[in-house]
Amino acid sequence: MKLKKILALVLALAMTLALVACGGGDKPAENSGDQPNSGAAAPEAGGTASGETISLTLWGGEEDQTMLAERVEAFKAAYPDQTFDIKIGVESESTAKDTVLTDIEAAADVFAFADDQLADLVDAGALLSIDSMDQPLQAYAGKSVADIKAANVPVSVEAATYNGTMYAFPATADNGYFLYYDSTRITPEQAASWDTLLDAAQAAGSKVGMTLASGWYLASFFYGAGFTTGRNEDGTTTMDWNGTSPSGVTGVQVVQAMQKIAAHPAFLAVTDGDSSNQIAAGNVCAIVSGTWDSISCSDAFGEGYAAAKLPAYMAGDKEVQTGSVAGCKLIGVNAYAENSGWAVLLAEFLTNEESQTVRFEQREAGPSNINAQSSDAVAGNVAQAALGQQSAYAVIQKAGGKYWDPSKSFGEQIAQGSIASDDASVQKALDELVAGVTAPLG
């Protein structure tokens, strides 16, 4: 089914709903906002009758499979007059874009992904506009798109929006990173600075882990110093890392600080995606990671389990608070979904207040929903508190497709110590990085 046909069917749905409303048809439920009346007709762009089976595919991370299966059953219970065949597949949020863009029409109807993939997915025509589905959401979920935006923290709505249009539902506001540490070996004061943190870890006979070979983690040092990246309308990237930031820090000074950190005997360069293994193996007493490693760290550090904002570092004679990326996980609907109306309702259901609360309870994933976020359980969570501390120094990362490979390679070079630390060598490496990242597409 082509996108133009999808849009035409959406318009047809809007007209049908208007006629039903004029004829005294069923109204959306007014109790919880998530339960439609049992007699509601199927909200299907293709006009599917409620007696027919609605087939949908859903992709989510491996760690979320049990939770997703439970929420799918709850979704079915919310629409008891409709028969569903919903298949759940495993696809990491971090790789969803690459898999979807391999064959958009063959991809899942509903899928989770990290917010930094939104622009590429939209540009490729892979995502259905959520703004365009306001009428079926009001008629069957009992809430408007405006209601959904108001229910989530602004940064998550911004992360789900591209060129003024909302293309996904916020699912979490916790896709960021901070510092976990074992307080029996590291004091809070020592955890506040990279120098004291590394020295304390060395004295304890342990390591401090962080992934450098990743444009997501690597950027933290530059963002903290006031440097930026941006994404142009044509998909190219802007980057100023080889210059001087508004705070007076040079890119050379940032790299030299990173080189010093990476060269410390207590520093462990962690391969992207391997943090849980390093924690479980007992190789670290502190590590830069996110809420997805909260259980692993709690188990490993026991009574010493603690977390805080990232340590500060010295760039020349200036102390710089290490920044981070304020990331969110989103759930979108495939623009080619055969049953797009039901797919939108499923995506909304999987991200509503109840589902976000369940996701936190089972996975300690930080909610983007304001009500769920304000609960005592979330506020008292060690990892969520640290994420909140770090959020003051976090930015939403904007970058085009050519940012990722060069930045990963640059971080790997720093981790391996393959860039000489003199000013001229570092400046040359930075100039080459910026030239690669900002190059035209094609």
Side-chain angles (χ1 to χ4, degrees), residues 156-216:
S156 69
V157 177
E158 179 185 350
T161 302
Y162 183 60
N163 288 341
T165 299
M166 187 174 180
Y167 283 97
F169 295 93
T172 75
D174 68 344
N175 200 27
Y177 45 88
F178 45 91
L179 181 74
Y180 288 105
Y181 66 97
D182 182 352
S183 63
T184 65
R185 293 179 282 181
I186 306 291
T187 68
E189 293 75 22
Q190 291 169 330
S193 161
W194 274 104
D195 289 338
T196 54
L197 172 64
L198 289 164
D199 288 346
Q202 184 178 18
S206 189
K207 302 276 188 179
V208 178
M210 182 177 181
T211 300
L212 292 180
S214 161
W216 198 57

Side-chain angles (χ1 to χ4, degrees), residues 28-29 32-36 79 136-143 345 348:
S32 68
D34 294 314
Q35 304 288 331
Y79 297 92
L137 281 166
Q138 289 192 54
Y140 299 100
K143 60 186 73 171
L345 289 179
E348 188 283 323

Side-chain angles (χ1 to χ4, degrees), residues 400-415:
K402 287 204 169 182
Y403 167 78
W404 301 103
D405 287 343
S407 59
K408 176 181 178 180
S409 177
F410 190 79
E412 190 169 13
Q413 292 178 66
I414 293 177

Side-chain angles (χ1 to χ4, degrees), residues 12-25:
L13 170 65
M15 294 175 65
T16 300
L17 290 173
L19 291 173
V20 170
C22 292

Side-chain angles (χ1 to χ4, degrees), residues 317-375:
D317 60 354
K318 293 184 175 66
E319 183 178 74
V320 176
Q321 169 59 49
T322 306
S324 63
V325 176
C328 304
K329 291 181 181 179
L330 310 172
I331 293 184
V333 174
N334 194 320
Y336 293 89
E338 193 73 22
N339 294 314
S340 57
W342 281 112
V344 167
L345 289 179
L346 175 60
E348 188 283 323
F349 188 89
L350 294 173
T351 56
N352 64 20
E353 179 183 343
E354 181 183 4
S355 290
Q356 291 199 29
T357 299
V358 170
R359 185 176 283 107
F360 170 75
E361 291 172 348
Q362 295 190 11
R363 298 279 304 120
E364 293 195 9
S368 62
N369 181 278
I370 295 171
N371 288 340
Q373 195 180 76
S374 62
S375 71

Side-chain angles (χ1 to χ4, degrees), residues 222-227 244-250 253 318 320:
F222 289 94
Y223 290 158
F227 289 96
T244 301
S245 76
S247 62
V249 176
T250 68
Q253 290 173 326
K318 293 184 175 66
V320 176

Side-chain angles (χ1 to χ4, degrees), residues 414-431:
I414 293 177
Q416 295 175 348
S418 58
I419 301 174
S421 60
D422 61 279
D423 290 2
S425 296
V426 174
Q427 186 65 61
K428 179 182 177 182
L430 277 171
D431 289 340

